[in-house]
Amino acid sequence: MKTFPRGGIHPPSNKLSAGEPIKVLPLPASAVIPLSQHLGAPAVAQVAKGDKVVVGQLIASAGGFVSANVHSPVSGTVTAVEPVANGSGVKVMSVVIAVEGDEWLPTIDRSPNLVTDCRLEPSEIVAKIAEAGIVGMGGATFPTQVKLSPPPGKKAEVLIINGVECEPYLTSDHRIMLEHTSQVIVGVGLIARALGVEKTYIGVENNKPDAIEQLRKVVAEMVRALPHHIEVVPLKVRYPQGGEKQLIAAITGRAVPSMGLPIDVGCVVQNVGTALAVYEAVQKNKPLIERVVTLTGKDIPAPSNFLTRIGTPVSDLIKAAGGLPVDTQKVIGGGPMMGRAMSNIDAPVTKGTSGILVVGPKEASRCAETACIKCGKCVTVCPMALEPYLLSRLTQKQLWSEAEAGAIFDCIECGSCAYTCPARVPLLDWIRLGKTEVNKIIRTRLSC
Amino acid sequence: MANKLIISQSPHVFTPRGTTSIMGDVLIALLPALAVSVWVFGWQVLAVTVVSVACCVVFEWLIQRYLIKGPATIGNLSAVVTGVLLAFNLPSSIPLWLVILGSFVAIAIGKMTFGGLGKNPFNPALVGRVFLLIAYPVQMTSFPPVDGMTGATPLALAKEALKGGCSVSDVMAQLNMNDLLLGLKSGSFGEVAALALILGGLYLLARKVITWHIPVAVLGTMAAFSAILWFVAPDTYLSPAVHLLTGGAMLGAIFMATDYSTSPMSRRGGLIFGAGIGLITIIIRVWGAYPEGMSFAILIMNALVPLINRIKFGRATR
Amino acid sequence: MMTLVYTVAALVVLGVVLAVVLYFVAQRFRVVEDPRIDQVESLLPGANCGACGYPGCRGMAEALVSDEDISALYCPVGGTATMKPIAEFLGKAAPEREPEVAVVRCAGSCALKPDGTTVRPRHSHYDGAPSCAIESATYAGDTGCSFGCLGKGDCVVVCAFDAIHINPQTGLPEVIDEKCTSCGKCVKACPKMIIELRRRGPKGRRVFVSCINKDKGAVTRKACEVGCIGCGKCVKVCEFEAITLENNLAYIDPVKCRLCRKCVAECPQNSIIEVGFPTKKPTQSVSQEGLS
């Protein structure tokens, strides 16, 4: 069975909510929609305080080439356009909407019918995706239309759909693959047509055999509606298989060059959630206004997968899953390996929120750091063949040119090194700092 | 919410295997060899081990508490491991005051001088052993007789035989492979039980404490090099099997060379490191003044570890 | 006996030969350099801190010798006492600069007071690597004030003069005026940009706003007992127009300030701190008190 060639770890998967069907979460009383839910320039607000909005209406338009539109996920009145604290307590420009009813734009097709026909040109598909404000739903939130427009001179040959979901606990992609299989496959076909690729793979780790089987069945049924055969590739369970570079290596054997992009080896990677969003945008005219969010944790009464409107407070999700246990110590936006700990649980769900993990006292605190015993385990598990122990120390000593020579910019921040360190050295904390500094230095050098 | 939320960067989950758990596994892996030693050499073995471990722990605690003035580090069991490994490298008949002296050199000079666990460039147990070997050669090389055999180790016998001009096959005739494997031979008490040490090594491999690279490189190089010599002149040189089963080969390859602090960080570095140890060991055994060279070989390669760590493996040239 | 003679003879011959070789090599590869560079370097403090903008004192000395106009070159460590002799030695005009010192503009201690309350209460607990830069990159901070000191001591680590320390009682950094050379390393290291280089002032007396919180007054008041709420009372009371109010934050211009200290008494939040004045009454100031 295929997997990526180097490094990796096996954290306990703890997929508590894998068997929970997607439930629709009730509308919030008030929705906070940040204007920057994607990588790149923030969107520019198109509404002002007092405006009435309906579901699907454009409330902020892309603020640059690498940026994304934002649509209203609810109907109601705009009460403010102001900086609101996000999950990290940092104030970011947001549109606050008081929810009134649930009135949708009439152009959106809300029927459950599957629409497989598409007569649009590739450029029209990309334009529709851009219009719908779709971003990478796996958590990286890179605007999808940018990824689907390869730079001149580069051609996408292979499309890889990421159904790996290697993060422990998270099950939203798993549920999407099971419950919206046909829509995902149509969406994959649309992305493949937009890119004009010759080959498409869907990579799924073999701890989700039901999803693999279901995907294969639907691909076989729908083979005539697709531009070419889509191959579902089972992958050996190993973290961080969902990393773009790891997934490309696992499926095609191609190695993305240092500081390069997947397109440099003719590959484009998209998440299954993104494929679903593409289907809805292109075939149903529905912009990206809701997403599936896993709410999980060992002490949560009812770990669930919710279909949630963007802008819903995280605390609403927690309530719907049975409430926050009294001894909760950590709430993580995303999975335990790459998610961000939240200091403000009233922050909204955004386009990139794949899950919320609630952690109790047993696992919340890190163990005290002790002396590095030079076991070399961090070197062994690094999927990018870096030397984490060295990079973290170089960062502490602020030796930036040495850190650059050690290719610190290649770090994908997967956290395998810190996970595996027996001395509990916060390796990734330091490396991330060093990476930021070194990237700053490289950028200033390039701009000179 | 009753508590303040805890905030840190990702990752938020960690392996349950900390330093203490790893050191504990090393101790478990050393138990079979200890049991065989007690069976072969008697209860004296336990006395030496207990004294060595106790002294190592006490010295580390004292130095950490009063000289370094840092938090106590004996809880990570590394001093216990050093104590057991040092004891394993001593003859069971050694006077106990020498054990105390050896532990002091191992912990105080070999380890704490450099700042403690992880910072020492040389294997502390071997620093202690080599100090004793050079300072007190008589006590360190007089081994109690085993099963009617003389008190000299097989390697020492072979060396004597070569000096005396008689054939190595005479020595070989005295050796029984099964005895060598089981540990019925003279030597430092922890190094004799080849089979038990291999068993411990397999446990460490299964628990992912060590990888196969260093032990295989050490033993493989020893076997290959000695096989060439043996092939060229079987009358002058010992067979590879004898080389692998005598002296400190197994203990050194599996437990001493794989010491985290003093071995390279990368697996491929480990291969180079191990090959170097194997090569130097055979050179010392065959042409050196000492009958056994494993300790020296490991210490010499320890010194080269910083250089090996500078080699960038694995990343494509950019 | 002969062994000894041979040994000594061999060594003597070897020594002579090598000395001759060295002499010629030194002649052949001599680097011609302005001898004044060495002399100027010896006049510099030798801290090699880089505060002047050059990698070390040697670089600074080279620049001082080669540049015609040295008014832009200044060694903040040695100050005027160092620059004057150098300028005289080189026959150039000495650069003048007001002596400065680093001041910490946050007085919001997160530590528990005896009465069980806290000046700046924490709402979360940071559990990552002990570095302000990392904590600052992780989130807005562990208190309601996203501008305040994180107390992990990045400033302490970079100080080459042992002039800044975290007070274990308050968890805030404190500058030892006598040791501070105003090299500016802590200013650069602080991710929250709390530390400022200010005029030392006559007899080390100075008045400054010990807060950089730009939140609205109500938000600030909730987060910190000593945060500047931007009420503007100090602006009104100042007779010298030295205080400006911008983004809900008062700032005292060190050049215009005449040290009358009316603002100190007027500030309802006790955010304005006076340093170096003879103690009349015990002020509530937290950080610099008692050190200058």
Side-chain angles (χ1 to χ4, degrees):
Chain A
M1 194 165 296
K2 289 181 167 177
T3 187
F4 55 99
R6 181 187 288 132
I9 54 171
H10 296 94
S13 67
N14 286 319
K15 304 270 190 188
L16 309 173
S17 52
E20 300 293 326
I22 299 171
K23 283 179 276 193
V24 178
L25 193 78
L27 291 178
S30 155
V32 176
I33 303 106
L35 297 183
S36 186
Q37 304 179 38
H38 46 264
L39 272 179
V44 181
Q46 302 294 332
V47 289
K49 189 178 170 179
D51 288 1
K52 293 269 178 201
V53 292
V54 294
V55 177
Q57 181 182 334
L58 185 76
I59 54 173
S61 56
F65 177 66
V66 181
S67 185
N69 288 342
V70 179
H71 300 79
S72 177
V74 291
S75 61
T77 313
V78 176
T79 54
V81 180
E82 63 178 16
V84 179
N86 68 5
S88 301
V90 178
K91 288 185 177 152
V92 291
M93 198 46 99
S94 310
V95 176
V96 186
I97 302 170
V99 180
E100 295 148 11
D102 193 23
E103 190 191 328
W104 287 54
L105 268 189
T107 48
I108 300 173
D109 175 4
R110 297 182 68 190
S111 70
N113 313 342
L114 184 72
V115 186
T116 51
D117 279 357
C118 176
R119 308 218 174 279
L120 297 175
E121 289 294 311
S123 60
E124 291 170 321
I125 296 176
V126 175
K128 271 200 135 171
I129 289 170
E131 165 54 34
I134 294 174
V135 302
M137 306 276 278
T141 66
F142 193 79
T144 302
Q145 80 275 11
V146 182
K147 257 189 172 177
L148 298 185
S149 327
K154 291 197 175 137
K155 168 95 182 78
E157 298 156 16
V158 179
L159 170 65
I160 296 174
I161 300 298
N162 185 347
V164 171
E165 202 159 53
C166 59
E167 272 275 3
Y169 288 96
L170 300 189
T171 57
S172 53
D173 287 353
H174 185 186
R175 292 315 302 183
I176 289 174
M177 287 188 282
L178 279 181
E179 296 179 37
H180 300 285
T181 326
S182 312
Q183 288 89 330
V184 168
I185 297 295
V186 174
V188 172
L190 292 170
I191 300 173
R193 195 168 308 165
L195 282 166
V197 293
E198 294 121 39
K199 190 80 194 112
T200 300
Y201 301 95
I202 303 180
V204 187
E205 280 190 344
N206 68 340
N207 58 357
K208 298 180 264 291
D210 47 352
I212 296 171
E213 195 186 327
Q214 179 82 0
L215 285 166
R216 280 188 169 150
K217 204 179 91 200
V218 172
V219 168
E221 282 166 8
M222 295 179 52
V223 74
R224 242 171 265 146
L226 296 169
H228 52 252
H229 181 67
I230 295 172
E231 192 181 334
V232 181
V233 187
L235 300 166
K236 207 171 133 196
V237 177
R238 193 144 66 112
Y239 179 87
Q241 193 123 249
E244 269 191 340
K245 293 175 180 175
Q246 280 63 42
L247 190 58
I248 292 169
I251 291 182
T252 68
R254 302 180 190 186
V256 179
S258 176
M259 298 188 93
L261 292 170
I263 194 73
D264 295 333
V265 291
C267 294
V268 171
V269 182
Q270 292 289 352
N271 180 269
V272 287
T274 315
L276 176 62
V278 165
Y279 163 80
E280 292 184 332
V282 177
Q283 307 291 67
K284 301 277 202 175
N285 278 324
K286 182 179 148 197
L288 181 53
I289 52 160
E290 54 188 7
R291 67 158 299 144
V292 180
V293 179
T294 302
L295 199 127
T296 183
K298 282 182 185 159
D299 303 325
I300 284 283
S304 319
N305 301 291
F306 292 117
L307 181 64
T308 314
R309 298 285 170 87
I310 307 289
T312 309
V314 165
S315 46
D316 277 19
L317 274 81
I318 297 175
K319 252 175 247 149
L324 201 62
V326 254
D327 54 355
T328 296
Q329 300 229 315
K330 212 176 207 178
V331 178
I332 299 164
M337 290 305 294
M338 292 188 75
R340 282 187 88 101
M342 302 176 71
S343 60
N344 168 25
I345 59 166
D346 294 322
V349 166
T350 64
K351 291 176 180 176
T353 311
S354 47
I356 302 290
L357 172 61
V358 176
V359 187
K362 257 180 253 155
E363 291 170 306
S365 344
R366 294 180 170 187
C367 296
E369 179 182 352
T370 57
C372 167
I373 56 172
K374 298 203 183 132
C375 62
K377 284 181 195 286
C378 54
V379 180
T380 309
V381 299
C382 180
M384 299 304 289
L386 306 177
E387 295 168 285
Y389 77 98
L390 184 67
L391 296 178
S392 90
R393 210 164 293 172
L394 291 174
T395 303
Q396 288 179 51
K397 303 253 179 239
Q398 310 201 344
L399 297 169
W400 306 129
S401 51
E402 285 84 348
E404 190 183 342
I408 196 168
F409 43 78
D410 270 353
C411 173
I412 58 167
E413 304 182 18
C414 67
S416 299
C417 50
Y419 172 86
T420 202
C421 180
R424 317 299 187 194
V425 178
L427 291 163
L428 184 54
D429 288 17
W430 290 109
I431 295 174
R432 211 182 257 123
L433 176 68
K435 187 181 158 186
T436 319
E437 291 296 326
V438 168
N439 279 344
K440 238 186 261 169
I441 292 167
I442 293 175
R443 260 201 308 278
T444 40
R445 192 167 56 218
L446 289 179
S447 66
C448 278
Chain B
M1 203 177 352
N3 312 300
K4 282 177 193 160
L5 286 177
I6 295 175
I7 309 291
S8 62
Q9 293 192 350
S10 66
H12 305 283
V13 286
F14 299 91
T15 169
R17 303 269 287 150
T19 304
T20 309
S21 143
I22 288 174
M23 293 296 168
D25 270 343
V26 176
L27 290 176
I28 292 172
L30 285 166
L31 281 181
L34 185 67
V36 172
S37 302
V38 172
W39 172 57
V40 174
F41 296 102
W43 296 106
Q44 185 71 22
V45 164
L46 281 186
V48 174
T49 311
V50 167
V51 169
S52 170
V53 168
C55 291
C56 284
V57 171
V58 168
F59 287 136
E60 175 158 332
W61 185 81
L62 287 174
I63 292 172
Q64 184 73 15
R65 175 86 173 72
Y66 293 103
L67 286 179
I68 297 180
K69 299 194 169 77
T73 52
I74 53 169
N76 63 28
L77 298 182
S78 65
V80 179
V81 171
T82 302
V84 174
L85 285 177
L86 174 66
F88 272 33
N89 276 297
L90 304 173
S92 59
S93 54
I94 193 167
L96 289 181
W97 65 271
L98 270 184
V99 179
I100 299 173
L101 187 61
S103 323
F104 179 77
V105 172
I107 291 294
I109 296 174
K111 187 176 174 189
M112 301 312 280
T113 307
F114 299 96
L117 180 63
K119 302 190 182 77
N120 50 310
F122 298 104
N123 190 319
L126 285 181
V127 172
R129 171 194 147 98
V130 166
F131 166 78
L132 291 179
L133 185 65
I134 294 170
Y136 303 94
V138 178
Q139 290 92 328
M140 282 295 284
T141 50
S142 49
F143 304 99
V146 174
D147 235 17
M149 278 170 63
T150 51
T153 63
L155 284 173
L157 282 177
K159 196 132 239 175
E160 283 300 309
L162 289 177
K163 271 194 204 146
C166 65
S167 158
V168 86
S169 48
D170 298 344
V171 180
M172 296 283 283
Q174 295 179 33
L175 299 175
N176 176 331
M177 279 301 152
N178 284 340
D179 286 355
L180 291 185
L181 207 55
L182 284 175
L184 287 172
K185 58 179 182 257
S186 185
S188 300
F189 68 73
E191 64 186 27
V192 294
L195 203 61
L197 289 168
I198 292 173
L199 198 69
L202 290 177
Y203 175 76
L204 292 184
L205 279 177
R207 295 282 290 160
K208 294 189 176 159
V209 174
I210 59 170
T211 58
W212 57 267
H213 300 75
I214 292 175
V216 168
V218 174
L219 299 174
T221 314
M222 283 178 73
F225 191 21
S226 58
I228 295 170
L229 294 176
W230 190 54
F231 191 73
V232 171
D235 280 349
T236 330
Y237 303 112
L238 287 169
S239 77
V242 175
H243 269 298
L244 290 189
L245 293 178
T246 55
M250 287 298 165
L251 182 66
I254 298 171
F255 290 96
M256 313 293 272
T258 54
D259 173 43
Y260 282 152
S261 306
T262 58
S263 61
M265 299 293 271
S266 65
R267 294 178 177 192
R268 287 195 220 177
L271 289 177
I272 298 177
F273 175 75
I277 291 174
L279 206 64
I280 297 171
T281 303
I282 297 292
I283 290 174
I284 295 177
R285 280 185 182 186
V286 173
W287 293 292
Y290 284 93
E292 168 60 314
M294 186 50 97
S295 310
F296 295 105
I298 295 175
L299 288 176
I300 290 169
M301 288 311 288
N302 282 166
L304 294 182
V305 164
L307 285 179
I308 297 173
N309 278 339
R310 290 184 77 96
I311 309 173
K312 304 284 178 215
F313 295 103
R315 273 211 320 278
T317 46
R318 65 190 82 237
Chain C
M1 192 57 206
M2 281 315 283
T3 324
L4 196 69
V5 172
Y6 284 136
T7 315
V8 170
L11 283 175
V12 166
V13 171
L14 199 66
V16 169
V17 170
L18 287 176
V20 171
V21 170
L22 272 176
Y23 174 76
F24 282 107
V25 170
Q27 287 287 315
R28 177 76 184 74
F29 294 102
R30 192 161 72 182
V31 180
V32 186
E33 200 182 40
D34 195 329
R36 290 182 300 168
I37 293 176
D38 276 333
Q39 284 158 307
V40 171
E41 193 187 356
S42 66
L43 289 171
L44 286 166
N48 287 318
C49 63
C52 51
Y54 290 92
C57 292
R58 182 85 191 167
M60 174 71 159
E62 281 168 18
L64 282 166
V65 170
S66 63
D67 289 9
E68 278 303 311
D69 177 20
I70 60 166
S71 59
L73 300 173
Y74 191 79
C75 171
V77 177
T80 315
T82 297
M83 294 313 292
K84 227 176 184 167
I86 293 177
E88 268 168 28
F89 172 74
L90 294 169
K92 296 174 184 175
E96 286 285 342
R97 222 165 276 190
E98 191 77 29
E100 288 182 326
V101 68
V103 296
V104 179
R105 292 180 296 168
C106 177
S109 167
C110 298
L112 222 57
K113 287 190 291 190
D115 62 353
T117 60
T118 308
V119 173
R120 184 163 60 113
R122 286 203 166 97
H123 60 54
S124 59
H125 171 69
Y126 173 71
D127 188 31
S131 149
C132 304
I134 292 176
E135 179 172 353
S136 168
T138 309
Y139 71 132
D142 50 6
T143 68
C145 173
S146 57
F147 299 88
C149 176
L150 300 168
K152 299 293 179 295
D154 281 14
C155 48
V156 180
V157 175
V158 295
C159 184
F161 305 97
D162 197 32
I164 190 163
H165 296 277
I166 301 284
N167 180 333
Q169 257 98 51
T170 60
L172 294 170
E174 288 176 2
V175 179
I176 302 167
D177 284 12
E178 292 78 37
K179 287 190 180 175
C180 177
T181 60
S182 70
C183 72
K185 281 215 171 151
C186 52
V187 177
K188 281 195 203 106
C190 179
K192 297 284 188 188
M193 291 178 283
I194 288 168
I195 305 175
E196 182 196 13
L197 290 183
R198 272 182 91 88
R199 270 166 42 132
R200 273 177 191 260
K203 293 188 202 159
R205 292 175 179 179
R206 55 187 175 273
V207 175
F208 62 96
V209 181
S210 185
C211 180
I212 57 160
N213 187 313
K214 296 189 183 77
D215 277 331
K216 288 194 182 116
V219 180
T220 311
R221 203 195 302 266
K222 223 166 118 189
C224 180
E225 286 176 12
V226 295
C228 172
I229 53 173
C231 64
K233 281 188 180 168
C234 51
V235 179
K236 275 178 214 133
V237 82
C238 183
E239 293 165 15
F240 310 102
E241 294 181 339
I243 308 182
T244 47
L245 191 69
E246 209 176 323
N247 296 324
N248 308 307
L249 177 65
Y251 179 77
I252 303 178
D253 186 333
V255 179
K256 289 184 188 160
C257 176
R258 306 284 281 272
L259 305 174
C260 72
R261 293 184 280 159
K262 276 188 188 149
C263 53
V264 179
E266 192 69 19
C267 180
Q269 291 285 97
N270 293 318
S271 315
I272 303 180
I273 287 183
E274 50 169 88
V275 182
F277 294 91
T279 41
K280 261 184 279 174
K281 51 175 179 109
T283 52
Q284 267 182 295
S285 64
V286 187
S287 66
Q288 269 76 10
E289 174 90 310
L291 280 165
S292 21

